[in-house]
Amino acid sequence: MGARYTIKVPATSANIGPGFDVMGLSLSLYLTVVAEVSETKGPVRIVYEGTDSDGLSVDPQTNLITRTALYVLGCHGVKEFPKATTVRVQNNIPLGRGLGSSGAAVVAGVLLADAVGALGLQQQRMLDYCLMIEHHPDNVAAALVGGFVASYLVAVERPDGIPASEPESSAISNGATAPPPENIAHFLRLGCSPKIKAIAIIPQFELATSKARAALPGSYKTADVVFNLQRLAVLTTALGREVPDPWLIFRAMEDKVHQPYRMHLVPGLPEILGSFNPDNTPGLLGICLSGAGPTILALAMDNFDQIAASIRAVFARQPTRVETKYQVLDIVSEGATCTKD
């Protein structure tokens, strides 16, 4: 009899307004990977199901999940999957929408390597491996540990050959075996009221993280940086209050570092960020771009469907008539898991 492992990784929303490359929330939307490991040596087979699965690579050398796993295994002297393995991927996280799909794939790959290679990696060490591939800690830290997470990255050089998560970098060669330094990032789980839910309004077009980052300036005004720091300091506590204060959170989720420069990439974003507030939209706590976008994240305590309908209406009346879907999600306290069936 072989072994069967089930890996679940939550979607994430990064930045949460002022926390650019710092803050992340894990959400009740999952990437599930089931690895069926035989008792004999043989190839790796990848089978995809779920959201946006058409066109995803099933080549273990280029698929982000298995490519990440091969990197981690290689760092431990294992050049390939030890046994024939079927990797079944059920993806419910929309790709290229700012909900942490690539970060979830990287986390899943690290957990997959840990399972099939019996590596015994601790959570902090897993984060080190994740960050050699997904270079921003906000998504992967939240996906790995769960909840409302703040994180920072220690500057580190990445050896050539480590697979990158961005599709534009997929030509980087495989076969890297240089393990990451230890403790290259640190994180802290923050409080988040169980009364708060996340509404994800998801436009039906993709926005590459690289394109969204290219829109950012090379430098910022001191006043804009101070604006974000002030709000970030308040937001880290405001979301964890037993009784959330709508206007305190709403103002604390404002941003001058990344959203103003991405307005042109998401039709309707200026109106969405400028029109809704706790007074005219009952139940709303705050609203922001989810990660690099184009998804809109609205935090709320009530009237979830009505809030989603109002935001979707803004998208629908754009000249391009942006189609959207939405989901009302829990902010989940549990991060990535791997169980042996």
Side-chain angles (χ1 to χ4, degrees):
M1 291 291 291
R4 188 174 188 268
Y5 301 94
T6 299
I7 296 165
K8 288 185 67 176
V9 185
T12 52
S13 180
N15 303 331
I16 324 301
F20 178 64
D21 277 1
V22 177
M23 314 297 296
L25 287 170
S26 57
L27 306 172
S28 58
L29 191 65
Y30 293 92
L31 168 67
T32 302
V33 177
V34 177
E36 300 167 349
V37 184
S38 77
E39 292 185 318
T40 59
K41 293 186 71 65
V44 175
R45 187 170 70 98
I46 303 171
V47 180
Y48 261 97
E49 300 173 347
T51 302
D52 294 342
S53 60
D54 292 342
L56 289 175
S57 173
V58 293
D59 178 352
Q61 299 296 325
T62 57
N63 177 273
L64 183 55
I65 297 171
T66 50
R67 194 157 46 105
T68 298
L70 286 168
Y71 162 61
V72 177
L73 289 170
C75 290
H76 290 82
V78 182
K79 294 183 179 180
E80 57 187 16
F81 278 66
K83 301 290 178 64
T85 304
T86 298
V87 179
R88 301 187 185 278
V89 184
Q90 175 71 45
N91 180 44
N92 292 317
I93 305 175
L95 304 180
R97 305 299 208 281
L99 289 169
S101 58
S102 63
V106 169
V107 171
V110 173
L111 267 66
L112 177 60
D114 185 55
V116 301
L119 304 180
L121 297 176
Q122 298 299 308
Q123 189 178 70
Q124 177 62 52
R125 194 61 179 145
M126 290 182 180
L127 182 59
D128 292 337
Y129 280 102
C130 289
L131 287 169
M132 295 301 281
I133 301 167
E134 178 80 6
H135 301 169
H136 309 287
D138 44 9
N139 279 125
V140 292
L144 185 63
V145 308
F148 179 32
V149 181
S151 57
Y152 66 84
L153 180 65
V154 178
V156 61
E157 291 187 7
R158 293 175 178 80
D160 292 340
I162 294 177
S165 63
E166 276 292 292
E168 291 81 356
S169 303
S170 62
I172 294 177
S173 63
N174 292 306
T177 58
E182 294 186 357
N183 302 314
I184 61 175
H186 298 272
F187 64 87
L188 184 65
R189 293 186 66 188
L190 305 169
C192 190
S193 171
K195 297 178 181 179
I196 300 175
K197 288 187 180 292
I199 310 166
I201 298 91
I202 309 166
Q204 297 305 289
F205 67 88
E206 295 186 21
L207 176 56
T209 300
S210 56
K211 183 176 181 179
R213 284 192 173 270
L216 302 179
S219 61
Y220 293 93
K221 296 178 181 178
T222 300
D224 290 346
V225 175
V226 171
F227 180 96
N228 271 46
L229 290 173
Q230 290 172 333
R231 280 150 182 79
L232 180 59
V234 172
L235 185 63
T236 57
T237 299
L239 290 181
R241 284 185 158 187
E242 184 177 351
V243 181
D245 181 326
W247 271 105
L248 181 69
I249 293 172
F250 184 82
R251 292 298 188 199
M253 285 179 63
E254 294 175 326
D255 160 71
K256 288 190 176 182
V257 167
H258 68 103
Q259 292 177 159
Y261 303 98
R262 292 168 166 170
M263 295 289 188
H264 66 287
L265 299 176
V266 183
L269 182 59
E271 182 179 347
I272 289 167
L273 294 181
S275 299
F276 302 100
N277 62 59
D279 284 346
N280 63 27
T281 311
L284 180 68
L285 295 175
I287 191 166
C288 64
L289 198 60
S290 180
T295 293
I296 299 297
L297 178 77
L299 299 183
M301 291 193 297
D302 199 5
N303 295 318
F304 311 113
D305 294 328
Q306 295 92 323
I307 292 170
S310 297
I311 296 171
R312 294 181 74 197
V314 175
F315 278 119
R317 62 174 174 259
Q318 297 306 302
T320 53
R321 297 183 180 180
V322 180
E323 294 184 10
T324 58
K325 296 180 181 179
Y326 81 98
Q327 294 201 45
V328 179
L329 303 169
D330 293 323
I331 298 167
V332 294
S333 60
E334 185 175 48
T337 60
C338 179
T339 56
K340 186 175 182 180
D341 301 340

